[in-house]
């Protein structure tokens, strides 16, 4: 019996370690998908799925600091999952894009705060709900890099479809959250055609996902890399496609680089995105069906 005690202790320790890693994954890209062996709670549940796409301010550059989040607004929640690079569900935590935007140092973005804010509302209205986030944003990418047929767009569509497959628990794609455009403010020609490219992107996502009325919540820029931020912001705010809403990030506090939102701003933006989505959802639910 005494010989079994060390073995049992080792097994219990390894089990607790792997369980912890499946719920609170390390902020780096591991060579093996531990989430496949030790899926988190609710991994097999039906999910409300949200696509997080765009560039660095969606991926998140806010410093991870408890001082900037005194109420644990971006702490993990067992009913909020993220689809990792291996297409496995794991408990969502910041940095949300640690294995997607791999060439940059990621931090706090708006995704997790958004999901927890939405979860509060839909839990009270619909009971038990699981939210699945699909991170797809990559820093420094112009909108032309999101053209259909190129890697970023095709990967986002592939990941979104995988998120709702029955073998992963099934689900429904609720909305595309989009924050991008800072890089398109550098050249006048890019800024001038932004509206056309954005409308094409929305139509392509809706067609390729088979969701002609897919809600899109986009963020009007808080900053830009060039002199044509005003043109891109006007383009974003002028899009008139149905089920498209714009949240204006202008005036939210930035990091010292005057480009990226700080952690406080990302928390505020997450709530703003949630409010916009929930308002659109109420509007859609109140519209009489033919």
């Amino acid at each position: 019996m005494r010989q079994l005690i060390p073995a049992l202790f080792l097994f219990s320790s390894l089990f607790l370690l792997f369980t912890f890693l499946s719920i609170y994954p390390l902020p780096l890209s591991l060579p093996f998908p531990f989430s496949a062996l030790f899926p988190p709670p609710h991994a097999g549940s039906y999910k409300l799925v949200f696509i997080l796409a765009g560039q660095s301010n969606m991926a998140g550059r806010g410093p991870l600091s408890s001082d900037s989040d005194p109420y644990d607004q971006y702490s993990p929640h067992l009913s909020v999952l993220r689809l990792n690079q291996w297409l496995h569900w794991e408990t969502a935590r910041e940095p949300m894009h640690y294995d997607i935007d791999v060439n940059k140092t990621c931090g706090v973005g708006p995704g997790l705060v958004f999901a927890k804010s939405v979860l509060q509302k839909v839990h009270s209205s619909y009971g038990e709900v699981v939210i699945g986030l699909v991170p797809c944003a990559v820093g420094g990418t112009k909108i032309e890099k999101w053209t259909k047929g190129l890697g970023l767009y095709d990967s986002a569509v592939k990941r979104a479809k995988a998120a709702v497959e029955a073998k992963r628990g099934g689900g429904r794609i609720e909305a595309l959250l989009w924050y991008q455009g800072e890089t398109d403010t550098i050249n006048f020609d890019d800024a001038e055609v932004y509206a056309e490219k954005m409308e094409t992107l929305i139509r392509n996502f809706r067609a390729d996902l088979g969701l002609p009325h897919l809600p899109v919540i986009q963020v009007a820029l808080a900053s830009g890399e060039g002199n044509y931020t005003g043109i891109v912001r006007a383009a974003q705010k002028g899009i008139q496609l149905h089920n498209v809403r714009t949240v204006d990030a202008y005036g939210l506090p930035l990091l010292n680089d005057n480009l990226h939102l700080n952690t406080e701003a990302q928390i505020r933006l997450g709530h703003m995105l949630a409010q916009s989505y929930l308002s659109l959802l109420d509007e859609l639910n109140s519209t009489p069906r033919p």
Side-chain angles (χ1 to χ4, degrees):
M1 181 65 182
R2 290 181 178 179
Q3 295 177 340
L4 289 176
I5 293 177
L8 290 172
F9 177 78
L10 176 62
F11 176 81
S12 299
S13 299
L14 289 174
F15 177 79
L16 290 172
L17 174 63
F18 289 136
T19 301
F20 178 85
L21 289 176
S22 70
I23 298 175
Y24 302 99
L26 295 175
L28 48 82
S29 183
L30 295 173
F32 184 79
F34 284 98
S35 54
L37 296 178
F38 300 94
H42 309 304
S45 301
Y46 185 91
K47 305 166 192 72
L48 304 182
V49 172
F50 297 88
I51 307 164
L52 311 178
Q55 56 180 115
S56 55
N57 271 317
M58 177 58 80
R61 297 292 188 264
L64 287 157
S65 168
S66 58
D67 294 337
S68 58
D69 184 20
Y71 302 107
D72 292 329
Q73 295 186 78
Y74 61 80
S75 61
H77 190 293
L78 292 181
S79 293
V80 180
L81 309 181
R82 72 179 289 276
L83 195 70
N84 65 22
Q85 64 170 332
W86 302 97
L87 302 182
H88 297 301
W89 289 112
E90 62 186 30
T91 302
R93 69 185 295 273
E94 297 289 3
M96 187 72 62
H97 283 73
Y98 74 90
D99 59 349
I100 303 299
D101 193 10
V102 294
N103 294 321
K104 305 291 175 63
T105 300
C106 294
V108 176
L112 185 50
V113 174
F114 163 84
K116 293 175 69 175
S117 183
V118 169
L119 192 66
Q120 272 190 320
K121 173 69 173 181
V122 296
H123 256 310
S124 61
S125 300
Y126 303 106
E128 185 73 19
V129 172
V130 177
I131 289 180
L133 300 174
V134 183
C136 301
V138 176
T141 53
K142 294 166 61 172
I143 197 169
E144 68 178 20
K145 296 293 186 181
W146 289 86
T147 301
K148 180 176 178 176
L150 298 184
L152 292 175
Y153 175 86
D154 290 354
S155 175
V157 170
K158 175 184 175 182
R159 288 172 55 74
K161 289 181 177 180
V164 294
E165 288 179 346
K167 65 181 180 181
R168 294 180 181 84
R172 182 174 72 245
I173 299 174
E174 287 288 301
L176 165 67
L177 306 186
W178 178 263
Y179 191 167
Q180 185 276 337
E182 292 92 343
T183 308
D184 291 277
T185 68
I186 298 174
N187 297 316
F188 177 77
D189 291 342
D190 292 331
E192 277 284 275
V193 298
Y194 190 89
E196 176 186 347
K197 290 185 178 297
M198 185 63 195
E199 290 182 358
T200 298
L201 181 142
I202 293 171
R203 292 190 179 99
N204 285 339
F205 264 114
R206 287 173 169 173
D208 290 336
L209 295 176
L211 300 169
H213 306 293
L214 175 69
V216 176
I217 315 295
Q218 63 167 348
V219 181
L221 297 181
S223 58
E225 294 186 54
N227 297 323
Y228 304 107
T229 303
I231 295 177
V232 174
R233 279 178 45 81
Q236 292 170 325
K237 297 170 76 172
I239 290 176
Q240 299 296 319
L241 297 179
H242 72 284
N243 291 353
V244 175
R245 296 293 183 271
T246 302
V247 169
D248 197 344
Y250 188 78
L252 292 178
L254 303 173
L255 296 173
N256 291 335
D257 60 8
N258 290 318
L259 181 63
H260 296 107
L261 300 183
N262 66 17
T263 304
E264 175 194 350
Q266 289 287 15
I267 292 172
R268 288 166 59 183
L269 179 61
H271 288 296
M272 291 163 64
L273 287 166
Q275 183 178 8
S276 180
Y277 163 73
L278 292 169
S279 175
L280 176 58
L281 187 64
D282 287 341
E283 181 181 320
L284 293 175
N285 288 338
S286 64
T287 302
R289 297 186 178 184

